[in-house]
Amino acid sequence: MSLSRRHFLSAAAAGTLAAPLLAPRAAHAQAEVDEARSIDVITPDTQKAIDRGLAWLSKRQILSGRNKGAYGHGGYAGGVAVSSLSGLAFMCSGNPPGQGPYGKSIDRSVEFITSCVQDSGYISVPGFGQDNMYGHGFATLFLSEVYGMSDRSDIDTTVGEKLRKAVKLTISCQNDQGGWRYQPQKSDADLSITICNIMGLRAARDAGIHVPEEVRDKCIDYVKKSQNGDGGFRYQITSGGGSTFPLTAAGVVSLYSAGIYDGDQVEKALAWLMKYMPGSGSGNTGYFFYGHYYAVQAMWHAGGSHWQKWYPAIRDLLLKRQSGDGSWSDSEVCSEFGTAMACIILQMPNNYLPIFAP
């Protein structure tokens, strides 16, 4: 096991790892943002909602057949994106692979995702129309967290081998602008898919997988060029489109993942997001869970008043939206997706997953 991975394991266990794609946050800045955070924001009612959500999600895992270990239904049944996010939701509660009440569910997810790693390194279910570089990015993130947080020999070998293939594939299809698109090939790019793969690469690097400097430099350049003058972020750097809530949230997380923690770009983007406080009715329409998955990460990294205002707002909104059976409905993807995302968002203060560490 490499020194960097041993550091990952010990830091992950302590909830203190912060290894961005480029440079670490200055110590004094880290201390300032830590003062703003408290586990107390996970109220008893919030924990009950999380417990109900995870219990519902665990019962939705496919237990037999080709897609054993997968999640999802309808057009998204058995895809790698929803399955990876579901595994991450369990890990956010402090369950490493094979341990805790959801350890077996995570193990089944690992078996499913590793079975989907093709010889090329592309992570997808052959013939499944919804799998694309979104799924590949989320799956790379999940496998990276599993690989970094477990010292089991089976994970060291199987997951390590598959993860290196996946990272190599990601690197090979980064386009000249620094981004990624739907298919595992060099073409045009968009910010939404790009951030999924930035997060996957950052997590892999944190776990000791080599990611070349030039890949990270190109990521930063692409993200910076995606920001509009109003501080928000657009879909493609070539489109000239307007800023949107999901893309701006993803853009801020991209900056943080690249080691850019302050400055005009970050401040303008955070100010743009704060106009769309959860529950305010200020145009937060479309891709609700995707947008808030990134928005809560952005505010968690920002700390201070940003976090103190944002988390209670999204927490209370999600508690109101939870269904009687413990799930969260999502009409754009599926309820497994909505429930996994809601549980990840609500558990952000646990700070168990190194990829989310500020």
Side-chain angles (χ1 to χ4, degrees):
M1 185 184 301
S2 69
L3 178 61
S4 60
R5 186 154 175 250
R6 285 199 298 270
H7 169 71
F8 185 106
L9 286 165
S10 60
T16 58
L17 183 70
L21 201 57
L22 273 188
R25 187 193 298 263
H28 71 280
Q30 182 68 45
E32 288 179 3
V33 294
D34 283 347
E35 290 178 2
R37 301 187 185 91
S38 171
I39 196 69
D40 294 339
V41 294
I42 299 183
T43 63
D45 284 344
T46 307
Q47 189 59 55
K48 288 179 182 177
I50 293 167
D51 292 342
R52 292 175 62 226
L54 293 177
W56 181 88
L57 191 60
S58 69
K59 295 174 182 177
R60 302 292 294 183
Q61 190 170 37
I62 299 170
L63 300 179
S64 62
R66 167 65 183 85
N67 291 333
K68 178 182 177 181
Y71 291 85
H73 69 267
Y76 291 86
V80 299
V82 176
S83 300
S84 297
L85 289 164
S86 297
L88 289 171
F90 293 126
M91 293 174 73
C92 282
S93 68
N95 290 257
Q99 300 180 40
Y102 298 112
K104 290 183 179 179
S105 296
I106 297 169
D107 274 353
R108 285 191 289 264
S109 295
V110 172
E111 291 173 5
F112 171 69
I113 297 299
T114 54
S115 75
C116 295
V117 181
Q118 301 177 21
D119 290 341
S120 65
Y122 185 40
I123 309 177
S124 70
V125 178
F128 182 72
Q130 299 296 342
D131 274 346
N132 48 45
M133 287 300 287
Y134 274 123
H136 176 86
F138 283 127
T140 302
L141 169 59
F142 173 63
L143 291 183
S144 296
E145 296 299 285
V146 166
Y147 180 67
M149 294 177 70
S150 177
D151 58 359
R152 283 167 31 190
S153 60
D154 60 325
I155 287 177
D156 282 351
T157 53
T158 303
V159 175
E161 177 188 353
K162 302 282 188 173
L163 180 57
R164 287 180 174 84
K165 284 185 176 182
V167 169
K168 185 177 180 180
L169 182 280
T170 304
I171 291 169
S172 72
C173 59
Q174 183 185 33
N175 79 352
D176 293 338
Q177 294 173 316
W180 289 266
R181 194 65 159 140
Y182 285 99
Q183 299 305 316
Q185 60 192 31
K186 288 179 181 288
S187 58
D188 58 349
D190 70 67
L191 183 63
S192 184
I193 292 179
T194 294
I195 178 55
C196 287
N197 288 281
I198 288 176
M199 293 286 281
L201 289 179
R202 175 192 159 173
R205 179 177 179 269
D206 290 349
I209 307 297
H210 176 63
V211 178
E213 291 289 335
E214 59 267 25
V215 172
R216 301 196 293 274
D217 291 343
K218 288 166 67 177
C219 287
I220 294 171
D221 188 54
Y222 186 87
V223 172
K224 286 182 173 180
K225 289 179 178 178
S226 299
Q227 191 169 24
N228 288 324
D230 62 0
F233 285 76
R234 62 184 178 273
Y235 184 57
Q236 292 182 291
I237 62 177
T238 56
S239 68
S243 302
T244 70
F245 173 76
L247 292 177
T248 301
V252 176
V253 175
S254 299
L255 293 174
Y256 283 131
S257 293
I260 302 170
Y261 294 109
D262 48 35
D264 188 57
Q265 283 189 295
V266 172
E267 293 306 316
K268 288 178 67 176
L270 287 172
W272 195 98
L273 284 177
M274 292 301 291
K275 295 185 295 184
Y276 297 89
M277 187 68 65
S280 67
S282 301
N284 282 359
T285 58
Y287 306 104
F288 174 86
F289 286 104
Y290 179 87
H292 281 290
Y293 166 79
Y294 286 116
V296 77
Q297 292 180 56
M299 300 306 171
W300 176 245
H301 282 285
S305 62
H306 292 97
W307 171 253
Q308 291 170 341
K309 293 177 181 177
W310 194 274
Y311 181 81
I314 187 59
R315 176 197 65 198
D316 295 347
L317 181 59
L318 287 175
L319 264 57
K320 291 178 182 177
R321 290 192 172 199
Q322 189 174 29
S323 301
D325 61 3
S327 67
W328 278 269
S329 177
D330 180 75
S331 60
E332 292 167 324
V333 183
C334 61
S335 295
E336 289 83 357
F337 172 80
T339 303
M341 286 297 214
C343 288
I344 291 172
I345 292 165
L346 291 174
Q347 293 182 99
M348 192 63 57
N350 285 339
N351 202 24
Y352 283 134
L353 281 188
I355 188 62
F356 298 146

